[in-house]
Amino acid sequence: MKKLSTLLLLVLCVSVFKSNAQFLYDDYEGGMSVNFTYAPTWGTAKVIYDGDSESESMDLNALALNFDYMSQIGSSPVFYSCGAGLRWTFRSEKESYEGVTLKSSLDFVTMRIPLNLALPIAIPSTSITIVPFAGFVPNFHFYGGETYKASYEGESVKESINYFSEDDMDDEKFNRFVLGWQAGARIEYSSFYVGLSYEGHITNLYGYKEEYGGETYKERYNLGYFDISFGYKF
């Protein structure tokens, strides 16, 4: 939350600077846009027990298709944007040992609903506009899990684990709904734009807590996305 507060303060500072520098907003139009996003992704697991903590991270990748609508708030220079998108987060590995081949994959399929405030900054005498933004991202996970396949001399065995299934995870299943935050900026040229942003979690994708002999054991798992997007405004 401290990071989000700092970024929102930055947007406010840019707004004040804008009023003094007389940037041009008169011709800026919001409207609908679509973008394709690639994101290097980090999965971070953290365990806390008896006052000590350990963290472990995992590299993943993500692809997303997003639709967005942006509109001005009254006569102010601030715009709001809301949208919807579908994201696939994935990781796969393959290992071989003494004739046995083991393939594993981890996948999440997620619907995103970004809700942002934006401050378009037009660059005078050009067709370029810089649009910093920050806000919240409710996420709903349709699927999340792991798949393992072992093969040996033409025979194979396959097993799957669904993170959101009580049958597979008992009382340690993951949360389908996760509230996230994001901040970044996009550079627009005519109807095209490229964007950079980061998205993290406010609530946990996975959280577990238990008491052991008067000590508290906590475990949580979250994802972080560095989004690189390419879009088109209608």
Side-chain angles (χ1 to χ4, degrees):
M1 290 298 293
K2 290 183 178 179
K3 292 181 179 179
L4 180 58
S5 299
T6 302
L7 290 165
L8 289 174
L9 180 60
L10 178 61
V11 171
L12 179 60
C13 291
V14 172
S15 178
V16 174
F17 177 72
K18 165 262 170 189
S19 63
N20 293 325
Q22 295 184 350
F23 283 113
L24 305 178
Y25 292 88
D26 295 341
D27 296 332
Y28 186 81
E29 296 182 358
M32 290 290 298
S33 69
V34 60
N35 70 73
F36 174 78
T37 299
Y38 165 71
T41 306
W42 298 269
T44 303
K46 187 172 185 179
V47 176
I48 303 172
Y49 180 65
D50 194 17
D52 297 324
S53 64
E54 294 184 4
S55 297
E56 184 177 342
S57 61
M58 175 187 295
D59 294 333
L60 302 96
N61 292 282
L63 299 173
L65 181 65
N66 306 288
F67 293 88
D68 179 82
Y69 176 76
M70 183 180 293
S71 181
Q72 189 172 9
I73 300 178
S75 58
S76 74
V78 180
F79 283 63
Y80 74 87
S81 69
C82 57
L86 193 64
R87 168 176 274 162
W88 172 38
T89 307
F90 58 93
R91 174 187 172 94
S92 61
E93 293 182 311
K94 181 179 179 180
E95 298 179 1
S96 297
Y97 180 74
E98 295 185 351
V100 178
T101 300
L102 177 62
K103 297 180 180 180
S104 63
S105 63
L106 185 155
D107 300 271
F108 288 95
V109 179
T110 309
M111 171 173 276
R112 308 170 62 251
I113 307 175
L115 306 169
N116 295 304
L117 293 178
L119 185 69
I121 303 172
I123 306 301
S125 304
T126 73
S127 298
I128 298 174
T129 304
I130 300 174
V131 187
F133 61 86
F136 299 98
V137 188
N139 293 274
F140 182 82
H141 298 284
F142 293 111
Y143 172 79
E146 300 176 51
T147 301
Y148 299 92
K149 183 178 181 181
S151 303
Y152 179 73
E153 294 184 350
E155 300 291 331
S156 63
V157 177
K158 187 176 181 180
E159 182 179 355
S160 297
I161 300 174
N162 187 335
Y163 290 153
F164 304 109
S165 169
E166 290 186 0
D167 294 335
D168 292 345
M169 303 296 290
D170 295 324
D171 59 346
E172 297 184 24
K173 67 178 182 177
F174 284 38
N175 299 312
R176 285 193 182 274
F177 176 80
V178 176
L179 179 61
W181 64 271
Q182 74 172 55
R186 70 192 200 191
I187 300 175
E188 300 181 0
Y189 179 77
S190 186
S191 295
F192 300 91
Y193 65 85
V194 59
L196 295 174
S197 64
Y198 181 82
E199 180 183 335
H201 287 168
I202 297 174
T203 61
N204 294 321
L205 176 59
Y206 170 79
Y208 181 76
K209 180 179 179 180
E210 192 168 341
E211 300 289 337
Y212 286 104
E215 300 292 344
T216 301
Y217 173 85
K218 297 180 182 179
E219 185 176 348
R220 58 177 179 258
Y221 182 79
N222 287 305
L223 298 172
Y225 298 89
F226 182 73
D227 291 322
I228 305 168
S229 58
F230 301 91
Y232 178 81
K233 294 176 60 180
F234 297 103

